[in-house]
Amino acid sequence: MVKITAIKEALKALFKPATTKYPHGPPSHVPPGIRGLPQFKDDNCIGCGACAVCCSAKAISIEDKGKTRRLSIHYPRCIFCGRCEDICPEDGIALSDRFELAAYDKKEADVSIEFKLVRCKECNAVVSTKEHLAKVKERILENIDPRIVDEVAADLAKYENLCVDCRRKLSYQLNTHTQKYYSQRWET
Ligand code: SF4
Ligand code: SF4
């Protein structure tokens, strides 16, 4: 019996290889849900930078220069934890099924995406990307009490191109301070 099993195994090994010729051929199997290289989804990403802040391996960086924000993933630093995908509010980044890290060119180790930056019209500090500010505005107006939508929309138009410090400094002058809402009586 032992002999028959051994012969069967030997024949199997002859006709059906147990391994593939990877890396000279494709790998035999990439399991579903594999944590491969993270990739930006250009149509969804708004350049908010939340993924860079939460990446504990510092594999994602933000570079603000002039009127451009560049967001980059440095693959050699990535530990495939998937935190960037979990934290992204816009489905702008996802782990792919690409698992091969070796490259001939150093440039292939990074991927980048660029955005137009909005700078504060008072002090020139970075506010955020155009896409991020538009999304924040949309979310605020969607979720705010309908009775104050118009007033809040008018306030947003006054301060959307100001940084946080200048918004605070100018809030009384522009009449955008939220204090004006505290005194309003809400009927329930
Ligand atoms: S939208 Fe998502 S992927 Fe893009 S910068 Fe923000 S957190 Fe990162
Ligand atoms: S998978 Fe983890 S280590 Fe890699 S870029 Fe995303 S958060 Fe950073």
Side-chain angles (χ1 to χ4, degrees), residues 4-109:
I4 295 171
T5 314
I7 293 167
K8 264 190 189 171
E9 286 306 313
L11 285 173
K12 241 200 261 173
L14 274 177
F15 297 108
K16 192 177 169 212
T19 58
T20 55
K21 289 183 176 174
Y22 183 78
H24 303 294
S28 58
H29 175 59
V30 179
I34 185 175
R35 288 167 178 249
L37 298 172
Q39 280 173 341
F40 289 120
K41 298 182 187 174
D42 294 14
D43 291 342
N44 292 0
C45 179
I46 54 171
C48 67
C51 53
V53 173
C54 81
C55 175
S56 54
K58 299 204 185 311
I60 305 180
S61 66
I62 311 172
E63 190 190 359
D64 292 338
K65 228 181 197 174
K67 290 190 174 166
T68 308
R69 164 166 292 179
R70 178 191 284 258
L71 214 65
S72 307
I73 311 175
H74 314 290
Y75 285 143
R77 293 195 73 105
C78 180
I79 55 170
F80 312 102
C81 63
R83 182 107 174 96
C84 50
E85 184 180 327
D86 291 344
I87 207 92
C88 177
E90 297 300 324
D91 189 25
I93 191 167
L95 299 190
S96 66
D97 61 1
R98 277 188 57 208
F99 57 89
E100 288 164 315
L101 289 170
Y104 288 110
D105 191 337
K106 226 169 106 179
K107 285 183 201 145
E108 288 174 38

Side-chain angles (χ1 to χ4, degrees), residues 5 23-24 49 58 63 69 90 94 97 105 126 128 145 149 152 158 163 178 183:
T5 314
H24 303 294
K58 299 204 185 311
E63 190 190 359
R69 164 166 292 179
E90 297 300 324
D97 61 1
D105 191 337
V126 169
S128 193
D145 190 308
V149 165
V152 171
K158 288 183 206 166
C163 68
T178 49
S183 57

